[in-house]
């Protein structure tokens, strides 16, 4: 089974990450991705490593890592606009990988309308998982998730009360 997690990193972190190793910006996508995952910020590739041991094929997309994402686009012949590159490249990556499962861990960047667009662009998607571990202001995105995952018991109760399938998963 193919699973693709789409997320973002804090912009300040990414700025510092690339400032520490400026030569990385000109490296191929795989070199940048490996360096970013090795830095172990946030969840990094922890899901991919753990699920890979169980036989799943998983890819991690850090959609707002601009130099890395634009390297992927260049290497794969994907044109993108200046204004919408993040969504255009992410969509192209999902189309290229053809996952059955999408795991969205940024409910602010990846809106309900974007997820509807993504599902229409990539027919292989059978299940959308979403993560919510903090207060939110726009609940509409959660309607696009088949399952909401959270580490906050109060959020799990709130989502269940709203009619969502929601499960608590604690951090390791």
């Amino acid at each position: 089974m193919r699973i693709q997690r789409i997320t973002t990193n804090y912009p300040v972190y990414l700025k510092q990450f690339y400032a520490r190793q400026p030569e990385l910006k000109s490296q191929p996508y795989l070199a940048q991705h490996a360096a970013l995952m090795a830095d172990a910020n946030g969840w990094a590739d922890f899901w991919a490593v753990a699920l890979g041991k169980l036989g799943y094929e998983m890819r991690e997309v850090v959609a707002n890592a601009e130099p890395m994402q634009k390297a992927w686009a260049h290497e794969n012949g994907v044109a993108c606009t200046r204004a919408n590159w993040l969504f255009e490249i992410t969509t192209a990556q999902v189309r290229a990988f053809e996952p059955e499962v999408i795991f969205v861990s940024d409910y602010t960047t990846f809106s309900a309308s974007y997820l509807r667009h993504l599902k229409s662009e990539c027919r292989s998607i059978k299940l959308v998982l979403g993560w919510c571990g903090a207060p939110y202001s726009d609940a509409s995105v959660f309607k696009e998730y088949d399952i909401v995952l959270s580490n906050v018991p109060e959020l799990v109760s709130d989502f269940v009360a709203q009619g969502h399938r929601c499960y608590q998963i604690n951090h390791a």
Side-chain angles (χ1 to χ4, degrees), residues 108-119:
T108 303
T109 301
F110 302 108
S111 66
S113 63
Y114 175 72
L115 292 176
R116 286 191 296 274
H117 166 76
L118 190 60
K119 289 187 276 187

Side-chain angles (χ1 to χ4, degrees), residues 63 69-70 72-73 78-96 110 114 117-118 121:
Q69 289 295 88
K70 288 187 174 176
W72 185 92
V78 173
C80 58
T81 62
R82 176 174 278 157
N84 211 27
W85 66 267
L86 186 149
F87 300 105
E88 292 166 348
I89 296 170
T90 301
T91 300
Q93 288 172 308
V94 173
R95 273 197 312 254
F110 302 108
Y114 175 72
H117 166 76
L118 190 60
E121 289 287 318

Side-chain angles (χ1 to χ4, degrees), residues 25 27-29 32 66-76 89:
K25 286 183 178 183
Q27 296 296 312
Y29 171 82
Q32 291 187 53
E66 187 172 359
M68 181 178 76
Q69 289 295 88
K70 288 187 174 176
W72 185 92
H74 177 74
E75 293 165 16
N76 288 277
I89 296 170

Side-chain angles (χ1 to χ4, degrees), residues 19-89:
R20 284 193 320 266
Q21 42 198 341
E23 73 288 350
L24 195 59
K25 286 183 178 183
S26 62
Q27 296 296 312
Y29 171 82
L30 287 176
Q32 291 187 53
H33 192 269
L36 188 62
M37 296 302 112
D39 206 46
N41 179 68
W43 290 352
D45 62 348
F46 302 151
W47 286 92
V49 170
L51 292 174
K53 292 176 184 175
L54 299 173
Y56 294 93
E57 187 178 353
M58 186 166 181
R59 299 246 174 104
E60 308 265 355
V61 173
V62 181
N64 67 332
E66 187 172 359
M68 181 178 76
Q69 289 295 88
K70 288 187 174 176
W72 185 92
H74 177 74
E75 293 165 16
N76 288 277
V78 173
C80 58
T81 62
R82 176 174 278 157
N84 211 27
W85 66 267
L86 186 149
F87 300 105
E88 292 166 348
I89 296 170

Side-chain angles (χ1 to χ4, degrees), residues 108-145:
T108 303
T109 301
F110 302 108
S111 66
S113 63
Y114 175 72
L115 292 176
R116 286 191 296 274
H117 166 76
L118 190 60
K119 289 187 276 187
S120 74
E121 289 287 318
C122 189
R123 299 289 184 186
S124 66
I125 299 171
K126 306 293 183 230
L127 181 71
V128 178
L129 303 173
W131 178 264
C132 182
Y136 56 89
S137 58
D138 181 7
S140 67
V141 70
F142 302 111
K143 293 178 183 170
E144 296 302 319
Y145 298 161

